[in-house]
């Protein structure tokens, strides 16, 4: 895989970490996500854990961004509660992020290994939902 890294948006990481520290309580909310829209706005969200599955923070962020009119996220990061640091997106979230924002960069890693990578590099040889839709009749 050819990994392209971009500068890490430290303000975005700190925003997600702040939300994780101050809004994640107990077992229902354990992850926070923050996304920067192309216009500079930052949108935040937390996961909604439930024994039936519940959406990850990144999926909640997609809806929260739309609710705020932020339709062009350029960078996203998720941070765990209890000072767990940056957590990479699960496979389901990687696929959703690729389909909603094919050019988004995702912050992954911690410490000296922290970097921002294009979502496509987290899902090599990926299925792109829009590429497989039939033409309208």
């Amino acid at each position: 895989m050819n990994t392209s890294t971009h500068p890490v948006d430290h303000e975005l990481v700190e925003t997600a970490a702040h939300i994780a520290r101050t809004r994640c309580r107990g077992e229902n909310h354990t992850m926070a996500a923050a996304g920067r829209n192309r216009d500079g706005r930052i949108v935040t969200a937390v996961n909604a854990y439930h024994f039936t599955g519940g959406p990850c923070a990144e999926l909640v962020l997609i809806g929260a961004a739309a609710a705020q009119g932020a339709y062009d996220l350029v960078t996203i990061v998720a941070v765990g509660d209890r000072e767990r640091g940056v957590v990479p997106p699960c496979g389901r979230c990687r696929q959703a992020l690729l389909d909603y924002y094919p050019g988004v960069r995702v912050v992954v890693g911690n410490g000296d290994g922290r970097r921002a990578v294009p979502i496509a590099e987290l899902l090599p040889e990926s299925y792109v939902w829009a590429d497989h839709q039939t033409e309208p009749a």
Side-chain angles (χ1 to χ4, degrees), residues 74-89:
V74 294
T75 308
I76 186 171
V77 65
V79 173
D81 67 348
R82 296 167 296 189
E83 305 300 324
R84 289 183 290 146
V86 172
V87 178

Side-chain angles (χ1 to χ4, degrees), residues 133-137:
Q133 300 307 299
T134 58
E135 296 289 326

Side-chain angles (χ1 to χ4, degrees), residues 7 9-10 62 67 92 106 127 130-131:
D9 186 335
H10 296 288
I62 290 170
R92 177 176 67 166
V106 181
Y127 172 90
D131 291 347

Side-chain angles (χ1 to χ4, degrees), residues 95 98-99 126-134:
Q95 184 68 53
L98 178 71
D99 289 332
S126 60
Y127 172 90
V128 178
W129 183 77
D131 291 347
H132 299 281
Q133 300 307 299
T134 58

Side-chain angles (χ1 to χ4, degrees), residues 9 11-12 34-38 40-42 72-76:
D9 186 335
E11 180 186 18
L12 194 65
R36 185 177 299 277
N37 199 57
R38 186 163 306 282
R41 286 182 290 160
I42 293 178
D72 194 12
L73 296 182
V74 294
T75 308
I76 186 171

